[in-house]
């Protein structure tokens, strides 16, 4: 345990009981979202299950699970979409699920996401409870559940799996469990490229901890060796996959960047996104969308500034900052940015603290109203343009 700890760690036997209200609330919100999606899809002669498991990125993950890597699509404009862009942990779990059960790879991916979303909700609660208390923890989970694109948490995508690994890794850092933090960071690095944010959080906390406790044993009796081991383990997942892609493509350590370039993904500091927003002001109807995008970015920036002002623990600030920067400053498909921000749950903690300060009846009413709006939005969105 380290100086990062601010509250006592609940006994293991009582941890689930303590998180139960958050998990039950989360399950209720997600059940509502799935019910509304099923009804909305049925009214349009579409399959909600297909929308959740067999469209967009889900198909790429399933192909990797079924056949391994090596598939690519060459577009008329010369772009090459390679399955090497998709990190392997979710396909591995889909393959395992299909091998040990009667589920298809799509079904296994759906089950993985459902279970991972619950694990993510528990991890978010654990982090928020540890820093701000139980009531804020429950509110943080509910806010994450009712995000406008929260339906993605129930899709056969990697967002829920990644958020679960990231949240529990951050909790392990906050409670001084360095080896656990490193292993979970390693796994997050096998899930999504933004796993680097988890690695950076572990390293930032480790470096600060070393600076404050130069002796072999810190004030809590934790030896320096586990901390060093956790820091060594953390980057191995992301580094291992990136190096493997470079070897497979024959383009060296930076081969993965070429794969992403084939999808027109890259980091340009937000220039492409800024141009995209500016183009919205060429006509009146689209100008409203442009104003909405500017307001959304301003809200995200304001929330991060509040996180800094409220002196969130360093690992949370590092993690949320990198996730946010990669989401907003990448040149990828702009409609995916809200989905890419899903793992940045520390941004919700200021709102969770504010919601926790309300009367229980009032906060429950607010959460219920937003949950209904989120469920309707998710159903309309997934039946429309949906997440790329």
């Amino acid at each position: 345990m380290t100086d990062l700890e601010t509250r006592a760690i609940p006994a293991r036997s009582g941890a689930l009981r303590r998180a139960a209200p958050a998990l039950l609330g989360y399950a209720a919100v997600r059940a509502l979202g799935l019910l509304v999606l099923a009804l909305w899809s049925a009214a349009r002669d579409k399959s909600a299950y297909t929308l959740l498991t067999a469209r967009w990125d889900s198909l790429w993950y399933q192909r990797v699970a079924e056949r391994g890597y090596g598939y690519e699509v060459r577009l008329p404009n010369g772009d090459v979409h390679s399955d090497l862009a998709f990190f392997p942990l979710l396909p591995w779990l889909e393959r395992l699920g299909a091998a040990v059960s009667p589920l298809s790879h799509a079904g296994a991916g759906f089950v993985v996401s459902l279970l991972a979303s619950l694990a993510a909700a528990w991890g978010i609660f654990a982090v928020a409870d540890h820093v701000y208390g139980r009531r804020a923890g429950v509110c943080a989970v509910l806010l994450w559940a009712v995000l406008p694109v929260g339906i993605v948490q129930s899709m056969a995508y990697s967002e829920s799996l990644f958020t679960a690994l990231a949240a529990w890794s951050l909790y392990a850092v906050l409670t001084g469990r360095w080896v656990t933090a490193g292993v979970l960071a390693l796994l997050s690095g096998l899930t999504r490229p933004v796993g680097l944010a988890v690695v950076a959080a572990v390293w930032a906390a480790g470096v600060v901890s070393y600076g404050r406790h130069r002796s072999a044993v810190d004030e809590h009796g934790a030896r320096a060796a586990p901390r060093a081991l956790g820091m060594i383990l953390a980057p191995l997942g992301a580094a291992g996959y990136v190096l493997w892609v470079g070897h497979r493509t024959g383009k060296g350590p930076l081969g993965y960047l070429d794969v992403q370039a084939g999808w027109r993904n890259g980091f340009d500091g937000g220039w492409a996104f800024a141009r995209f927003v500016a183009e919205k002001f060429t006509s009146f109807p689209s100008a409203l969308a442009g104003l909405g995008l500017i307001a959304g970015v301003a809200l995200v920036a304001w929330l991060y500034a509040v996180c800094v002002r409220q002196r969130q623990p360093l690992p949370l600030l590092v993690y949320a900052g990198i996730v946010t920067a990669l989401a907003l400053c990448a040149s990828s498909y702009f409609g995916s940015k809200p989905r890419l921000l899903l793992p940045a749950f520390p941004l919700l903690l200021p709102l969770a603290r504010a919601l926790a300060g309300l009367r229980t009846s009032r906060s429950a009413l607010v959460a219920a109203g937003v949950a209904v709006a989120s469920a309707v939005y998710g159903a309309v969105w997934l039946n429309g343009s949906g997440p790329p």
Side-chain angles (χ1 to χ4, degrees), residues 9-368:
I9 304 172
R12 290 184 179 181
S13 60
L16 180 58
R17 188 182 310 112
R18 186 173 179 84
L23 297 180
L24 290 173
Y26 178 80
V29 172
R30 289 273 43 86
L32 175 64
L34 292 174
L35 175 61
V36 173
L37 174 65
L39 295 174
W40 196 279
S41 301
R44 283 153 183 75
D45 294 323
K46 292 184 178 181
S47 167
Y49 181 74
T50 299
L51 293 174
L52 292 168
T53 64
R55 291 186 69 185
W56 304 293
D57 289 4
S58 298
L59 295 174
W60 286 89
Y61 284 120
Q62 290 161 32
R63 183 180 288 274
V64 173
E66 293 170 359
R67 307 177 188 179
Y69 286 102
Y71 178 75
E72 63 183 27
V73 176
R74 295 184 178 272
L75 304 183
N77 65 357
D79 290 345
V80 178
H81 290 183
S82 169
D83 59 10
L84 292 171
F86 297 88
F87 278 49
L89 185 57
L90 178 57
W92 286 348
L93 293 176
E94 290 179 343
R95 183 180 300 173
L96 176 63
V100 301
S101 74
L103 294 172
S104 65
H105 290 90
F110 182 57
V111 171
V112 167
S113 289
L114 290 181
L115 296 177
S117 68
L118 286 170
W122 193 357
I124 292 169
F125 170 81
V127 170
D129 177 34
H130 182 78
V131 179
Y132 295 123
R134 186 183 190 187
R135 191 175 174 88
V138 173
C139 291
V141 170
L142 292 177
L143 287 172
W144 191 67
V146 303
L147 288 173
V149 294
I151 191 65
V152 174
Q153 297 162 15
S154 301
M155 296 180 66
Y157 270 40
S158 60
E159 272 75 13
S160 289
L161 178 61
F162 174 77
T163 304
L165 294 168
W168 283 109
S169 180
L170 291 170
Y171 179 72
V173 168
L174 294 174
T175 55
R177 302 171 184 181
W178 292 98
V179 176
T180 299
V183 171
L184 292 172
L186 183 156
L187 293 173
S188 72
L190 289 171
T191 307
R192 297 184 63 82
V194 75
L196 293 175
V198 187
V199 176
V202 173
W203 270 75
V207 169
V208 169
S209 182
Y210 269 120
R212 291 179 178 174
H213 306 293
R214 296 180 181 277
S215 62
V217 180
D218 66 31
E219 64 184 44
H220 296 289
R223 296 188 178 278
R227 184 166 51 219
L229 179 57
M231 294 175 68
I232 291 171
L233 289 171
L236 296 184
Y241 181 69
V242 168
L243 291 175
W244 178 81
V245 170
H247 174 73
R248 184 182 176 96
T249 60
K251 296 183 179 180
L254 300 181
Y256 184 77
L257 297 180
D258 290 336
V259 171
Q260 287 284 11
W263 287 81
R264 294 187 179 265
N265 288 337
F267 187 86
D268 64 358
W271 175 244
F273 185 42
R275 292 203 316 270
F276 173 77
V277 174
E279 290 170 359
K280 295 294 182 182
F281 291 92
T282 57
S283 64
F284 173 72
S286 62
L288 296 178
L291 290 174
L293 289 171
I294 291 174
V297 172
L299 174 62
V300 170
W302 176 77
L303 285 174
Y304 187 75
V306 174
C307 292
V308 174
R309 286 202 303 270
Q310 292 183 348
R311 305 179 71 85
Q312 278 189 15
L314 178 65
L316 301 186
L317 293 176
V318 170
Y319 168 76
I322 294 177
V323 171
T324 302
L326 290 177
L328 295 181
C329 298
S331 58
S332 56
Y333 179 69
F334 305 116
S336 66
K337 292 191 180 295
R339 173 173 66 85
L340 298 179
L341 284 168
L342 264 180
F345 68 88
L347 296 179
L348 299 174
L349 296 187
L351 299 178
R353 295 184 70 187
L355 188 61
L358 301 177
R359 292 180 179 178
T360 301
S361 58
R362 185 172 297 180
S363 59
L365 184 62
V366 171

